[in-house]
Amino acid sequence: MLIKNRHAWQESENAVTPEGVYVNRRNFLRAGLAGGAAIAGLGSGLSSAFAAEDRVLAPLTYRLTNIDPGEEQTPFNAVTQYNNFYEYGTDKDDPAKNAWRLQPKPWSVTVDGMVDKPGTYGLEDVIDFKGLQERIYRLRCVEAWSMVIPWIGVPLGPVLQKFGIQSGAKYVRFETLADKKQMPGIKWPVLDWPYEEGLRLDEAMNELAFLAVGLYGNELPNQNGAPIRLVVPWKYGFKSIKSIVRISLTDKEPSTSWSKANAREYGFYSNVNPDVDHPRWSQKRERRIGEFARRETLMFNGYGDLVADLYKGMDLKANY
Ligand SMILES: Nc1nc2c(c(=O)[nH]1)N[C@H]1C(S)=C(S)[C@@H](COP(=O)(O)O)O[C@H]1N2
Ligand SMILES: [Mo]
């Protein structure tokens, strides 16, 4: 069982303010030598990431929860150097090298569509920074690697409710910034920019759907989707859209970047499912970053007790 007492975290009030991480090049290299060497694919990235500019990641105040798979957390250096963020390039170390160009402050998010209070809001009006919590989630990429990441943020559902969800709304659409000046990768038509994703409204209201503004106790590093990104731990990682600038309530299933690129390989639901292979590889196992042996991939990434009901009566092989 993943969560011993699924509501216990709501009572937990242990606010903690951990030390800030000042990610400068010297610290980064030292940490990289200590912890990052075992990570496949990092090689050349170690010396060049963050070389162009440093950013202070401010510490966040948040309360602990017991949402924790109880598995070893993926080291900070891997979480921040082995990324997918195609707006910064398609190699795993490109986001760490290039995302210094992102300007996460100030940031605004447009909330529109079927809501009572549409508008363009400052980040602080979307996220209640006094109500932050930490949740440790597995992240399973469709490419068959996985991590365990301590996110800081708030549940998505109450954020949507704040803007007054109108009856008839059935889906939520999310959109990433697409700015050529800040995002060198969008000059290549790898995907149809801006990156877009979507959830069915009941999925968005599920208690596990999360808006993250930090990880490992501090603000989100740019390469992880600063200053606000979605985390949907029971779905493949590409649903967890980064650097969100628009949230829209709608009555139609939104198109998504990856379905548009290849509908046969990436469906709207994209729930982690070891029984539905990707057309080009098996999804039965995964490589946990930092480990050698492969792990079994779990249905709904191990979160079935909290999300399986959403899909009752649906054929998950046909609707992947
Ligand atoms: N805007 C945007 N969001 C994105 C992506 C992307 O390329 N662009 N990649 C996705 C994929 S494939 C994964 S696995 C996760 C990776 O998140 P992380 O780099 O923070 O681990 O982000 C997702 N969100
Ligand atoms: Mo991914």
Side-chain angles (χ1 to χ4, degrees):
M1 174 73 175
L2 164 75
I3 296 163
K4 284 195 203 81
N5 174 351
R6 52 185 282 187
H7 293 295
W9 74 82
Q10 288 158 348
E11 276 81 62
S12 168
E13 294 297 338
N14 306 340
V16 288
T17 305
E19 299 267 56
V21 174
Y22 183 79
V23 185
N24 66 27
R25 193 163 182 231
R26 191 176 302 143
N27 286 348
F28 174 83
L29 284 172
R30 209 190 302 130
L33 289 174
I39 288 118
L42 289 183
S44 63
L46 276 174
S47 55
S48 50
F50 293 109
E53 188 161 303
D54 299 334
R55 181 180 155 221
V56 178
L57 299 172
L60 297 170
T61 300
Y62 55 91
R63 66 192 167 83
L64 303 175
T65 68
N66 54 14
I67 302 189
D68 181 351
E71 294 161 14
E72 200 177 326
Q73 293 175 29
T74 304
F76 178 84
N77 288 298
V79 172
T80 57
Q81 294 169 56
Y82 188 89
N83 300 100
N84 278 332
F85 198 170
Y86 279 14
E87 288 86 338
Y88 290 99
T90 54
D91 287 347
K92 291 288 177 285
D93 58 356
D94 282 340
K97 280 192 229 168
N98 299 326
W100 60 269
R101 288 187 171 82
L102 181 70
Q103 290 157 29
K105 290 178 191 182
W107 192 266
S108 46
V109 179
T110 298
V111 182
D112 61 8
M114 302 173 77
V115 289
D116 293 334
K117 296 173 217 163
T120 296
Y121 296 91
L123 182 64
E124 297 68 25
D125 298 321
V126 177
I127 299 290
D128 172 13
F129 280 81
K130 292 196 171 68
L132 298 179
Q133 53 178 272
E134 181 181 67
R135 293 183 173 194
I136 301 160
Y137 280 156
R138 299 188 193 91
L139 176 85
R140 171 52 160 90
C141 177
V142 72
E143 298 164 334
W145 53 264
S146 63
M147 296 192 185
V148 176
I149 303 179
W151 302 105
I152 317 285
V154 297
L156 170 65
V159 171
L160 299 178
Q161 272 163 338
K162 233 174 19 182
F163 298 102
I165 304 169
Q166 295 182 345
S167 65
K170 292 195 179 73
Y171 296 91
V172 191
R173 178 185 179 274
F174 302 87
E175 187 181 302
T176 297
L177 178 75
D179 177 356
K180 282 202 178 86
K181 286 198 213 85
Q182 295 181 61
M183 298 172 146
I186 68 178
K187 63 175 173 275
W188 292 291
V190 187
L191 290 171
D192 185 15
W193 318 109
Y195 194 102
E196 59 176 0
E197 256 308 334
L199 295 172
R200 222 169 54 193
L201 185 57
D202 58 344
E203 297 179 315
M205 300 309 288
N206 184 274
E207 61 194 288
L208 286 178
F210 201 59
L211 281 172
V213 295
L215 56 80
Y216 271 111
N218 298 291
E219 294 174 306
L220 276 181
N222 290 354
Q223 60 268 39
N224 296 95
I228 176 175
R229 61 92 55 85
L230 185 67
V231 185
V232 198
W234 72 96
K235 293 177 178 282
Y236 290 119
F238 62 83
K239 300 291 291 184
S240 292
I241 181 174
K242 295 178 169 180
S243 302
I244 295 167
V245 292
R246 184 185 295 271
I247 301 176
S248 313
L249 276 288
T250 151
D251 57 0
K252 291 187 189 61
E253 185 180 289
S255 60
T256 69
S257 292
W258 281 102
S259 309
K260 274 196 281 183
N262 192 332
R264 206 174 64 91
E265 299 190 356
Y266 309 102
F268 176 78
Y269 285 94
S270 289
N271 293 313
V272 174
N273 188 341
D275 301 327
V276 176
D277 287 339
H278 186 282
R280 291 181 280 137
W281 59 83
S282 163
Q283 294 292 25
K284 287 203 184 341
R285 290 167 174 278
E286 65 198 53
R287 184 171 60 93
R288 177 66 51 84
I289 298 298
E291 291 180 359
F292 287 104
R294 285 181 173 248
R295 289 177 173 250
E296 304 272 323
T297 287
L298 305 174
M299 185 66 201
F300 298 119
N301 205 19
Y303 297 96
D305 53 342
L306 294 173
V307 302
D309 278 359
L310 292 167
Y311 311 104
K312 244 193 270 170
M314 254 179 79
D315 177 352
L316 294 174
K317 290 196 171 151
N319 299 279
Y320 53 87

